[in-house]
Amino acid sequence: RRRQEFKGIPSYESVYNLTTEEQLECQKKERGVRQSQHQGKACLERYRLASMRIFEVVLESLQKYLGKDKFILERASIDEFYLDITQYCHDSSEEGGDETLSNVNAMKNTVIFGHRKDSIQRALEQACVVSGRIRDEVRDELGFTMSAGISTNKMMAKLAASHGKPNGQAMIHPHAFSSILATTKLSKVRNFGGKLGKEAERLIDRDNCDEIMMSELQQFSLLQLKQHFSSHDTAQFVFDICRGIDKEPVKETKGALVKSITAFKSFPATDCKQQIQSWLELLAGEIVLRVSQDTKRHGRHPKTCTMSYTYYTTPNGRRPQGTNSTRSQRQSRSIRLGYHPPESLVPQAMERLLPILKQHPLRGVGLSATNFESKCEVAIDHFFSQTGKRKATDPNPETMTAKALPCQTGTPQTIFVDQDLALAKKIQASYDREHNLWSRAQSTKKNKSRKIDSFFVKR
């Protein structure tokens, strides 16, 4: 949007065909996209802010056309979300729908797979109309284009979106699932790009795994899949997915907020401790800054942080030569860390990575702040932890000082640890027992009609 000279030009022509001098010139003009040159890591804050604005417009559009309780929105990433409007679409199709000009145009601009004259088709067409309205609102207000996929489950809707790109939308009827999956590579299907996809590829004895289609897994029975996969649930999941059945529901994301705040850096494989520590310090600084911005905007804090790292499985731990794709020769692992206090992230990460560096040179590390809780929950836990400490140290428990109160503005000033939470749970359990005894005594007083012998028995 900022570089109008690139509008309408495919990205591979506008970026990757530029000379080195032209790319450096673009980096100078695009201030704010890249941080300091010595850091060598892109800053995506501009795109995060644009994503927030897009989600605001999407929510406003849905509330305007459908109503507040007529949809479920799940944010999947910075530029992707799932939307469940099943009930609204079925209700609207039964009422006859809306035959306005904009709705007719929305269907004309939709790529349709598997047309059938049934209730599912009518509901999907209504979803196409809603999708077209959302895309128009975002384009008219912000100038961004969107692609959309419409189907009866999350997996097929995501595949449909790939047929609607760029700046379009596609609809897949369940009748067309088999034909779509027969032309879809296994690695392109949602949840099959990593470890699960590699295990599924081993079922089919073929040298070129990149040419395996998703529908080829249909030749295996459920019993065969159970014997191959270690988990019964995984076997059932693969059995369903290769037939276009996805039972995962759309889970509402409160206010369309991100579920995690992540920073990752890839680099040539190395086992140099100083280099990896410098990258971790840069990533930790970015995570802490973004978490602090998220706290000011949304009033929440992360409870945990996950560190991820990748390495090559080659004998020397370096990138394999003579191949374009290294997906089959990469491994990714993750380790859970504690987020509080933030300054302990790098020491924690290095302590966990040192044994791994002796085995594998790393080609990338990342940090992800997850498991968010609202500030009011933090304040409650903080209050109980401070109260427990005061009772343990103060000879006069009835005295209450300002230090025992939670911070009302900004972030909590005291970081509590697991033992504080355990103490808070004990205090809460003690309160619950006393409250139950009091409630039982009150109910006993109100029971005027009980017999005197029953009263003595209970006592």
Side-chain angles (χ1 to χ4, degrees), residues 181-217:
L181 293 174
T183 58
T184 302
K185 294 181 180 180
L186 184 139
S187 58
K188 298 296 182 182
V189 178
R190 180 171 172 263
N191 296 324
F192 281 81
K195 183 178 179 181
L196 179 59
K198 293 178 182 178
E199 287 191 32
E201 288 172 354
R202 284 194 283 270
L203 276 168
I204 302 174
D205 187 13
R206 188 177 302 174
D207 295 335
N208 189 2
C209 296
D210 291 335
E211 299 301 324
I212 297 177
M213 299 301 166
M214 191 64 194
S215 61
E216 295 184 46
L217 293 176

Side-chain angles (χ1 to χ4, degrees), residues 51-59 75 77-78 80-81 256:
S51 174
M52 290 173 56
R53 186 68 188 109
I54 290 173
F55 274 96
E56 288 177 1
V57 174
V58 169
L59 285 171
R75 178 166 181 166
S77 67
I78 192 173
E80 181 181 3
F81 65 91

Side-chain angles (χ1 to χ4, degrees), residues 441 444-445 447-459:
T444 304
K445 290 179 181 179
N447 189 6
K448 301 292 185 181
S449 61
R450 67 185 183 281
K451 295 181 179 181
I452 191 66
D453 55 346
S454 175
F455 167 78
F456 283 110
V457 169
K458 286 182 180 180
R459 281 301 186 186

